[in-house]
Amino acid sequence: MADSNSKPRGRARQIKSANVASSSAIAVPGMPLGIQSHQVQESIASAPVVPPPTPALRFHTSTPIASPSGGSSLYDDSISSISSCDTGLSTATRETGAVTIYKNFNKSGTRGEKLPVVTNYVAMEKRPNFTIKQYRVDFYPTEDHTFLKKQLLAIHTDKLAPYIFDGAMLYKTQKIEQQHLELVAKSSSQDYKVKLRQVGEIRMDDQAFLQFYNTVFRKCLNLMELEELGRNFYNEKAKILVPGAFLELWPGYITAIRHHDSGLLLCAEVTHKVLRTTNVLDIIKNMLARNSDLRRGQEAIRNELLGQIVLTHYNRKTYRIDEIDFDSTPLATFSVKASDGTLKDVSYKEYYQNRYGIDIPDTEMQQPLLVSHPRKKDVNKGMKTNIYLIPSLSNLTGLSEDQRKDFRLMQQLAEHLHMDPKKRKQKLDEFMNVLKTNETVCKEFGNWDIEFNPEFLQATARILPQEEIQLAPKSGGVALFRPDHVADWTNVLKRNFMLTRVALTDWVMYIPTEQKAKSSRFLEGLREQAGLLGMQVVNPLKTFFYESRSRCNEQELIKPLRDFKNVKFVVFILPNNQLQRYCQVKKLFVLRYGIAIQCFVAKNLDSKNFNSIMSKVAIQVNAKLGGIPWSIKVPFNKSAMILGFDVYHCAERKLESVGALVATVTPNLGRYFSVVSFHKDKSELSRNMCNDTKKCLEAFREENGYYPDRILLFRDGVGEGQLKFVVEHEVKMMQAGINEVYAGETLPKLSFIVVTKKINSRYLAVKSGGICNPPPGTVLDEVITLPGRYDYFMVSQSVRQGTVSPTNYNVIFQNVPVNPDAMQQLTFKLCHLYFNWSGTVAVPAPCQFAHKLAYLTGVALSDNAPEPLNNVLWYL
């Protein structure tokens, strides 16, 4: 948790994402860039009324081309923008007002060295050429367990086959004779009426056919005897036991069929589900045994379990623990609907006995109940009440904090969780081989005239020109230096000074009493490593020793601040990584006194990498004071402002989230202005975007004496279902803020780019030596990109183990055409500017800074930092 240990996303070891592309994502011609048709139905009733953009900032579409000289101009000003109302676009496009790729638009760049890559996509070679009848299936009494519904319907296979059922809709090639078919099915404990009625037909050219394809494929995964957990499928028979850790790893696959620029493709990715073999009741008992005081024990249980994900094996579902009800037990009762439609009260013990044949022993009758709030999709189905779970029947997924700190365990898990490219490709090939050779699966595909090419698609990526880093040579001046082959300049930095340095003066150091003898080691280490980087560190005004074994006494901690009125910086050495103390000191010094603080974990004083750690601390402190550790060659002829935006849920302000907007304010992109705002809903988020944009523009003018003539915003934290809202509201509210500030003046060129890291797309370099990770700067903008989008993938970082994950960029708005080569090169440049890491990171630095600010504010501060801190990277 300490600042000195923070790492950028994408550089450190990568845990597989379980974020799956929606199987029902449907691309419709004429829809706005970056929007899928199923998103049009999303309710945005709570959105604010947004003033229409001025004519100068209307949404446009144009064909970007390279500058006449073939140079790196970011914008080609010679191209006339074409208003969307003049391009013959569909009504749907004009109504949404979103940017759409013009019919002659070529989003593929040409710059860089070509690199053959293999993707994790296969083409669908054969598709059905018939109409699908679609039937709605209702169960009485209501049943929401999909697995059970499939079992009940399977009783009538002889009447219905061939069919596909996804839990709500049944698909058949042949029409059922009765307009309303009613069946009877019986489970071990309940009689059901099953009613089917036709609700539509899907033709082969309908985009809704995608949902059908994905439903067929998921059925085939079941036929391969894979277990469905959440949205993915896992092989329980191939589970990997981790001795001594009470863990199981279930290997599995993430799949999705979708239209791409090269046709209808299946994306297949390897994943693992980490399951703990001990149940939640075991953890509760252990926590209570450690605390003699019941209230403290319950608080410890909440701290340990809230926010965790559990798996209930009886229905193969996952739930998030949102509350723990210590006042309820399995003997508590709730109302259920009987087969005759009447309500009756049953206890949880009776319910699990009758429904699943599970007997909860009398010795476990005093356990509390876990509470999971209904998710959005549950609410959409009409489920608005909380879900209560039995701890003894629930197993936690994922790793505990103690397990994550166990180096040997993490090494053991890395062998499976962080597969290198060769092993990953091998596993995917094995998966496709089963699909082609399993007779049951082949028969099911044959029933629907579906066939996949067994070979993974190859494509041509490009390695962008390597960037050079601006540093200050020890002989003076500024010079450019080339990083190594993995885009790391740590060694180069050691031989030079940081670009601009700010001396550390007027500061106070806090250190635990038990580390008193090592205070000089810290000071000498910091002074030495900072000196090697050209930064001066004077002695602290005071070194304050505090008792770490008791709760922090804030009155004692602020005593040095009273003794010295001019304290500008604080270094706080923490006894451990405990979040509570970290949050306490951050709140105290940042919120109450407006002082930037550098935290440091005491164990690092004895680290064998002490000098390396202290060098990173010096870089962070310099950045927090307003210095610029390094920069890159900026591609702009005129002024530009680059922004990053991210959102994080606020821990203390339960119903609110924090949005962080970070903007460059200097031509060399080295200094930033940051602002955070809190919102309860999308309406407030949109208004905040307008106001915060204005603040960033004013900060830029205050620094430079003029407003920027071009603005690029990289928006992080956007899910597939949120794209429509971002296009229609966030972009427009940003424009509204720009219009207010630039009233009567020439408006800036604006680009809005959505950044997505948690994706399942992969592409691996194909070289003479075999399969390997692509190098930093590898761009792929064809084959697996999406039609109707100005999108591209980029691997900007390197990883020490496992397979590198690309980041997806989706340009959802531009009011002046942007050269694809220049946009991609700019993206790569920005990935060099995150000052917590002397190497490239997975996303542009403004995005990474916004993530760090949103996270720190949401977890530790829950409030705005004082305004003077907005001009420095105090949160780094």
Side-chain angles (χ1 to χ4, degrees), residues 39 58 133 180 202 259 263 273 327 384 484 499 506 525 539 547 579 670 683 690 699 703 758 776 828 850:
Q39 297 159 8
R58 282 194 300 177
K133 277 69 176 176
H180 295 278
I202 308 174
H259 286 292
K273 176 69 75 174
D327 295 324
K384 299 181 180 179
D484 63 18
L499 187 61
D506 302 321
N539 287 328
E547 182 54 57
L579 179 63
S683 174
C690 176
E703 180 74 23
K758 295 181 179 180
F828 188 41

PDB file of all heavy atoms in Angstrom, residues 39 58 133 180 202 259 263 273 327 384 484 499 506 525 539 547 579 670 683 690 699 703 758 776 828 850:
ATOM      1  N   GLN A  39     -27.061  -1.875 -26.810  1.00  0.00           N
ATOM      2  CA  GLN A  39     -26.877  -0.788 -25.850  1.00  0.00           C
ATOM      3  C   GLN A  39     -27.902   0.315 -26.054  1.00  0.00           C
ATOM      4  O   GLN A  39     -28.135   1.138 -25.176  1.00  0.00           O
ATOM      5  CB  GLN A  39     -25.462  -0.215 -25.972  1.00  0.00           C
ATOM      6  CG  GLN A  39     -24.403  -1.230 -25.638  1.00  0.00           C
ATOM      7  CD  GLN A  39     -23.076  -0.859 -26.234  1.00  0.00           C
ATOM      8  OE1 GLN A  39     -22.908   0.221 -26.768  1.00  0.00           O
ATOM      9  NE2 GLN A  39     -22.122  -1.766 -26.153  1.00  0.00           N
ATOM     10  N   ARG A  58     -19.855  20.526 -34.000  1.00  0.00           N
ATOM     11  CA  ARG A  58     -20.723  19.413 -34.358  1.00  0.00           C
ATOM     12  C   ARG A  58     -19.898  18.155 -34.565  1.00  0.00           C
ATOM     13  O   ARG A  58     -18.730  18.215 -34.904  1.00  0.00           O
ATOM     14  CB  ARG A  58     -21.493  19.736 -35.645  1.00  0.00           C
ATOM     15  CG  ARG A  58     -22.675  20.675 -35.430  1.00  0.00           C
ATOM     16  CD  ARG A  58     -23.582  20.677 -36.621  1.00  0.00           C
ATOM     17  NE  ARG A  58     -22.877  21.111 -37.825  1.00  0.00           N
ATOM     18  CZ  ARG A  58     -23.452  21.144 -39.019  1.00  0.00           C
ATOM     19  NH1 ARG A  58     -24.695  20.752 -39.149  1.00  0.00           N
ATOM     20  NH2 ARG A  58     -22.776  21.550 -40.064  1.00  0.00           N
ATOM     21  N   LYS A 133     -36.528 -20.030 -35.373  1.00  0.00           N
ATOM     22  CA  LYS A 133     -37.724 -19.640 -34.619  1.00  0.00           C
ATOM     23  C   LYS A 133     -37.332 -19.421 -33.158  1.00  0.00           C
ATOM     24  O   LYS A 133     -36.610 -20.233 -32.571  1.00  0.00           O
ATOM     25  CB  LYS A 133     -38.801 -20.726 -34.699  1.00  0.00           C
ATOM     26  CG  LYS A 133     -39.656 -20.674 -35.971  1.00  0.00           C
ATOM     27  CD  LYS A 133     -38.884 -21.042 -37.195  1.00  0.00           C
ATOM     28  CE  LYS A 133     -39.795 -21.069 -38.437  1.00  0.00           C
ATOM     29  NZ  LYS A 133     -39.012 -21.348 -39.666  1.00  0.00           N
ATOM     30  N   HIS A 180     -49.230 -21.930 -28.439  1.00  0.00           N
ATOM     31  CA  HIS A 180     -48.825 -21.860 -27.031  1.00  0.00           C
ATOM     32  C   HIS A 180     -48.717 -23.297 -26.527  1.00  0.00           C
ATOM     33  O   HIS A 180     -49.731 -23.978 -26.320  1.00  0.00           O
ATOM     34  CB  HIS A 180     -49.846 -21.083 -26.195  1.00  0.00           C
ATOM     35  CG  HIS A 180     -49.948 -19.643 -26.580  1.00  0.00           C
ATOM     36  ND1 HIS A 180     -49.075 -18.683 -26.139  1.00  0.00           N
ATOM     37  CD2 HIS A 180     -50.820 -18.999 -27.386  1.00  0.00           C
ATOM     38  CE1 HIS A 180     -49.404 -17.507 -26.637  1.00  0.00           C
ATOM     39  NE2 HIS A 180     -50.465 -17.674 -27.410  1.00  0.00           N
ATOM     40  N   ILE A 202     -35.566 -15.235 -36.493  1.00  0.00           N
ATOM     41  CA  ILE A 202     -34.267 -14.599 -36.740  1.00  0.00           C
ATOM     42  C   ILE A 202     -33.731 -15.123 -38.058  1.00  0.00           C
ATOM     43  O   ILE A 202     -33.513 -16.326 -38.215  1.00  0.00           O
ATOM     44  CB  ILE A 202     -33.260 -14.902 -35.610  1.00  0.00           C
ATOM     45  CG1 ILE A 202     -33.851 -14.562 -34.247  1.00  0.00           C
ATOM     46  CG2 ILE A 202     -31.967 -14.119 -35.825  1.00  0.00           C
ATOM     47  CD1 ILE A 202     -32.964 -14.971 -33.084  1.00  0.00           C
ATOM     48  N   HIS A 259     -18.884 -10.189 -34.719  1.00  0.00           N
ATOM     49  CA  HIS A 259     -18.467  -9.686 -36.020  1.00  0.00           C
ATOM     50  C   HIS A 259     -17.224  -8.816 -35.857  1.00  0.00           C
ATOM     51  O   HIS A 259     -17.182  -7.920 -35.006  1.00  0.00           O
ATOM     52  CB  HIS A 259     -19.581  -8.862 -36.668  1.00  0.00           C
ATOM     53  CG  HIS A 259     -20.704  -9.695 -37.187  1.00  0.00           C
ATOM     54  ND1 HIS A 259     -20.571 -10.546 -38.259  1.00  0.00           N
ATOM     55  CD2 HIS A 259     -21.993  -9.821 -36.779  1.00  0.00           C
ATOM     56  CE1 HIS A 259     -21.718 -11.156 -38.489  1.00  0.00           C
ATOM     57  NE2 HIS A 259     -22.601 -10.737 -37.597  1.00  0.00           N
ATOM     58  N   GLY A 263     -14.567 -10.596 -40.540  1.00  0.00           N
ATOM     59  CA  GLY A 263     -15.684 -11.527 -40.603  1.00  0.00           C
ATOM     60  C   GLY A 263     -16.147 -11.979 -39.227  1.00  0.00           C
ATOM     61  O   GLY A 263     -15.815 -11.381 -38.194  1.00  0.00           O
ATOM     62  N   LYS A 273      -9.825 -20.379 -12.649  1.00  0.00           N
ATOM     63  CA  LYS A 273     -10.614 -19.965 -11.485  1.00  0.00           C
ATOM     64  C   LYS A 273      -9.885 -20.456 -10.235  1.00  0.00           C
ATOM     65  O   LYS A 273      -9.618 -21.646 -10.086  1.00  0.00           O
ATOM     66  CB  LYS A 273     -12.024 -20.547 -11.541  1.00  0.00           C
ATOM     67  CG  LYS A 273     -12.879 -20.248 -10.327  1.00  0.00           C
ATOM     68  CD  LYS A 273     -13.245 -18.759 -10.246  1.00  0.00           C
ATOM     69  CE  LYS A 273     -14.308 -18.391 -11.241  1.00  0.00           C
ATOM     70  NZ  LYS A 273     -14.768 -16.986 -11.079  1.00  0.00           N
ATOM     71  N   ASP A 327     -27.269 -11.186  12.910  1.00  0.00           N
ATOM     72  CA  ASP A 327     -28.497 -11.399  13.681  1.00  0.00           C
ATOM     73  C   ASP A 327     -29.353 -12.525  13.102  1.00  0.00           C
ATOM     74  O   ASP A 327     -30.386 -12.876  13.672  1.00  0.00           O
ATOM     75  CB  ASP A 327     -29.326 -10.108  13.718  1.00  0.00           C
ATOM     76  CG  ASP A 327     -28.607  -8.986  14.465  1.00  0.00           C
ATOM     77  OD1 ASP A 327     -27.915  -9.301  15.451  1.00  0.00           O
ATOM     78  OD2 ASP A 327     -28.724  -7.824  14.042  1.00  0.00           O
ATOM     79  N   LYS A 384     -35.261  -7.644  -6.814  1.00  0.00           N
ATOM     80  CA  LYS A 384     -34.828  -6.448  -6.106  1.00  0.00           C
ATOM     81  C   LYS A 384     -34.475  -6.701  -4.643  1.00  0.00           C
ATOM     82  O   LYS A 384     -34.035  -5.788  -3.944  1.00  0.00           O
ATOM     83  CB  LYS A 384     -35.919  -5.372  -6.200  1.00  0.00           C
ATOM     84  CG  LYS A 384     -36.213  -4.943  -7.632  1.00  0.00           C
ATOM     85  CD  LYS A 384     -37.278  -3.854  -7.693  1.00  0.00           C
ATOM     86  CE  LYS A 384     -37.555  -3.444  -9.132  1.00  0.00           C
ATOM     87  NZ  LYS A 384     -38.593  -2.402  -9.235  1.00  0.00           N
ATOM     88  N   ASP A 484      16.229   0.484 -23.651  1.00  0.00           N
ATOM     89  CA  ASP A 484      16.678  -0.819 -24.134  1.00  0.00           C
ATOM     90  C   ASP A 484      15.565  -1.492 -24.934  1.00  0.00           C
ATOM     91  O   ASP A 484      14.513  -0.897 -25.202  1.00  0.00           O
ATOM     92  CB  ASP A 484      17.156  -1.690 -22.972  1.00  0.00           C
ATOM     93  CG  ASP A 484      16.050  -2.005 -21.971  1.00  0.00           C
ATOM     94  OD1 ASP A 484      14.861  -1.860 -22.322  1.00  0.00           O
ATOM     95  OD2 ASP A 484      16.364  -2.390 -20.829  1.00  0.00           O
ATOM     96  N   LEU A 499      15.103  15.235 -15.583  1.00  0.00           N
ATOM     97  CA  LEU A 499      15.000  16.381 -16.489  1.00  0.00           C
ATOM     98  C   LEU A 499      14.949  17.701 -15.735  1.00  0.00           C
ATOM     99  O   LEU A 499      15.724  18.617 -16.004  1.00  0.00           O
ATOM    100  CB  LEU A 499      13.752  16.221 -17.369  1.00  0.00           C
ATOM    101  CG  LEU A 499      13.587  17.241 -18.493  1.00  0.00           C
ATOM    102  CD1 LEU A 499      14.746  17.163 -19.467  1.00  0.00           C
ATOM    103  CD2 LEU A 499      12.258  17.005 -19.230  1.00  0.00           C
ATOM    104  N   ASP A 506      12.469  21.787   3.903  1.00  0.00           N
ATOM    105  CA  ASP A 506      11.340  22.046   4.805  1.00  0.00           C
ATOM    106  C   ASP A 506      10.435  20.814   4.914  1.00  0.00           C
ATOM    107  O   ASP A 506       9.236  20.869   4.688  1.00  0.00           O
ATOM    108  CB  ASP A 506      10.520  23.254   4.318  1.00  0.00           C
ATOM    109  CG  ASP A 506      11.355  24.515   4.216  1.00  0.00           C
ATOM    110  OD1 ASP A 506      12.208  24.725   5.088  1.00  0.00           O
ATOM    111  OD2 ASP A 506      11.174  25.283   3.255  1.00  0.00           O
ATOM    112  N   GLY A 525      20.383   6.999   2.484  1.00  0.00           N
ATOM    113  CA  GLY A 525      20.037   6.339   1.230  1.00  0.00           C
ATOM    114  C   GLY A 525      19.295   7.265   0.286  1.00  0.00           C
ATOM    115  O   GLY A 525      19.563   7.295  -0.920  1.00  0.00           O
ATOM    116  N   ASN A 539      18.615  18.109   5.279  1.00  0.00           N
ATOM    117  CA  ASN A 539      18.167  17.410   6.479  1.00  0.00           C
ATOM    118  C   ASN A 539      16.731  17.801   6.823  1.00  0.00           C
ATOM    119  O   ASN A 539      16.323  18.945   6.605  1.00  0.00           O
ATOM    120  CB  ASN A 539      19.069  17.733   7.667  1.00  0.00           C
ATOM    121  CG  ASN A 539      20.414  17.043   7.553  1.00  0.00           C
ATOM    122  OD1 ASN A 539      20.514  15.954   6.999  1.00  0.00           O
ATOM    123  ND2 ASN A 539      21.455  17.684   8.066  1.00  0.00           N
ATOM    124  N   GLU A 547       4.973   5.588  18.171  1.00  0.00           N
ATOM    125  CA  GLU A 547       4.743   4.238  18.661  1.00  0.00           C
ATOM    126  C   GLU A 547       3.810   3.517  17.690  1.00  0.00           C
ATOM    127  O   GLU A 547       2.617   3.838  17.602  1.00  0.00           O
ATOM    128  CB  GLU A 547       4.129   4.268  20.059  1.00  0.00           C
ATOM    129  CG  GLU A 547       3.885   2.902  20.671  1.00  0.00           C
ATOM    130  CD  GLU A 547       5.140   2.033  20.687  1.00  0.00           C
ATOM    131  OE1 GLU A 547       6.156   2.479  21.274  1.00  0.00           O
ATOM    132  OE2 GLU A 547       5.101   0.932  20.095  1.00  0.00           O
ATOM    133  N   LEU A 579      -3.730  -1.214   5.536  1.00  0.00           N
ATOM    134  CA  LEU A 579      -4.449  -0.155   4.829  1.00  0.00           C
ATOM    135  C   LEU A 579      -4.968   0.930   5.771  1.00  0.00           C
ATOM    136  O   LEU A 579      -4.945   2.114   5.441  1.00  0.00           O
ATOM    137  CB  LEU A 579      -5.611  -0.771   4.037  1.00  0.00           C
ATOM    138  CG  LEU A 579      -6.491   0.202   3.257  1.00  0.00           C
ATOM    139  CD1 LEU A 579      -5.690   0.908   2.174  1.00  0.00           C
ATOM    140  CD2 LEU A 579      -7.687  -0.534   2.647  1.00  0.00           C
ATOM    141  N   GLY A 670       4.915  17.297 -19.018  1.00  0.00           N
ATOM    142  CA  GLY A 670       5.556  16.840 -17.792  1.00  0.00           C
ATOM    143  C   GLY A 670       4.869  17.276 -16.518  1.00  0.00           C
ATOM    144  O   GLY A 670       5.072  16.673 -15.464  1.00  0.00           O
ATOM    145  N   SER A 683     -26.035  11.295 -14.100  1.00  0.00           N
ATOM    146  CA  SER A 683     -26.361  12.705 -14.294  1.00  0.00           C
ATOM    147  C   SER A 683     -25.305  13.600 -13.658  1.00  0.00           C
ATOM    148  O   SER A 683     -24.814  14.552 -14.268  1.00  0.00           O
ATOM    149  CB  SER A 683     -27.745  12.998 -13.695  1.00  0.00           C
ATOM    150  OG  SER A 683     -28.036  14.375 -13.750  1.00  0.00           O
ATOM    151  N   CYS A 690     -18.355  18.494 -17.311  1.00  0.00           N
ATOM    152  CA  CYS A 690     -18.397  19.864 -17.836  1.00  0.00           C
ATOM    153  C   CYS A 690     -17.592  20.808 -16.949  1.00  0.00           C
ATOM    154  O   CYS A 690     -16.722  21.542 -17.421  1.00  0.00           O
ATOM    155  CB  CYS A 690     -19.846  20.331 -17.939  1.00  0.00           C
ATOM    156  SG  CYS A 690     -20.055  22.053 -18.463  1.00  0.00           S
ATOM    157  N   ALA A 699      -6.605  26.076 -15.741  1.00  0.00           N
ATOM    158  CA  ALA A 699      -5.268  25.780 -15.214  1.00  0.00           C
ATOM    159  C   ALA A 699      -4.231  25.829 -16.330  1.00  0.00           C
ATOM    160  O   ALA A 699      -3.111  26.318 -16.132  1.00  0.00           O
ATOM    161  CB  ALA A 699      -5.267  24.408 -14.544  1.00  0.00           C
ATOM    162  N   GLU A 703      -1.055  28.579 -16.624  1.00  0.00           N
ATOM    163  CA  GLU A 703       0.332  28.145 -16.760  1.00  0.00           C
ATOM    164  C   GLU A 703       0.992  28.728 -18.004  1.00  0.00           C
ATOM    165  O   GLU A 703       2.185  29.061 -17.999  1.00  0.00           O
ATOM    166  CB  GLU A 703       0.376  26.609 -16.828  1.00  0.00           C
ATOM    167  CG  GLU A 703       1.761  26.013 -16.978  1.00  0.00           C
ATOM    168  CD  GLU A 703       2.589  26.078 -15.714  1.00  0.00           C
ATOM    169  OE1 GLU A 703       2.008  26.164 -14.612  1.00  0.00           O
ATOM    170  OE2 GLU A 703       3.837  26.045 -15.826  1.00  0.00           O
ATOM    171  N   LYS A 758      -8.937  -4.485 -19.747  1.00  0.00           N
ATOM    172  CA  LYS A 758      -9.389  -5.834 -19.396  1.00  0.00           C
ATOM    173  C   LYS A 758     -10.107  -6.459 -20.583  1.00  0.00           C
ATOM    174  O   LYS A 758     -11.330  -6.468 -20.672  1.00  0.00           O
ATOM    175  CB  LYS A 758     -10.292  -5.778 -18.165  1.00  0.00           C
ATOM    176  CG  LYS A 758      -9.554  -5.323 -16.917  1.00  0.00           C
ATOM    177  CD  LYS A 758     -10.479  -5.307 -15.711  1.00  0.00           C
ATOM    178  CE  LYS A 758      -9.732  -4.880 -14.452  1.00  0.00           C
ATOM    179  NZ  LYS A 758     -10.618  -4.851 -13.264  1.00  0.00           N
ATOM    180  N   PRO A 776       7.325  -3.948 -27.040  1.00  0.00           N
ATOM    181  CA  PRO A 776       6.585  -2.710 -26.785  1.00  0.00           C
ATOM    182  C   PRO A 776       6.472  -1.874 -28.057  1.00  0.00           C
ATOM    183  O   PRO A 776       7.425  -1.762 -28.826  1.00  0.00           O
ATOM    184  CB  PRO A 776       7.437  -2.003 -25.731  1.00  0.00           C
ATOM    185  CG  PRO A 776       8.171  -3.098 -25.042  1.00  0.00           C
ATOM    186  CD  PRO A 776       8.457  -4.118 -26.099  1.00  0.00           C
ATOM    187  N   PHE A 828       1.579   5.692 -27.949  1.00  0.00           N
ATOM    188  CA  PHE A 828       2.796   5.019 -27.482  1.00  0.00           C
ATOM    189  C   PHE A 828       3.691   5.992 -26.715  1.00  0.00           C
ATOM    190  O   PHE A 828       4.275   5.631 -25.678  1.00  0.00           O
ATOM    191  CB  PHE A 828       3.533   4.431 -28.680  1.00  0.00           C
ATOM    192  CG  PHE A 828       4.705   3.559 -28.311  1.00  0.00           C
ATOM    193  CD1 PHE A 828       4.641   2.666 -27.251  1.00  0.00           C
ATOM    194  CD2 PHE A 828       5.887   3.638 -29.028  1.00  0.00           C
ATOM    195  CE1 PHE A 828       5.720   1.868 -26.907  1.00  0.00           C
ATOM    196  CE2 PHE A 828       6.982   2.843 -28.698  1.00  0.00           C
ATOM    197  CZ  PHE A 828       6.891   1.955 -27.640  1.00  0.00           C
ATOM    198  N   ALA A 850      -4.788   9.268 -13.553  1.00  0.00           N
ATOM    199  CA  ALA A 850      -6.201   9.391 -13.167  1.00  0.00           C
ATOM    200  C   ALA A 850      -6.644   8.178 -12.358  1.00  0.00           C
ATOM    201  O   ALA A 850      -7.383   8.311 -11.376  1.00  0.00           O
ATOM    202  CB  ALA A 850      -7.071   9.564 -14.409  1.00  0.00           C
TER     203      ALA A 850
END
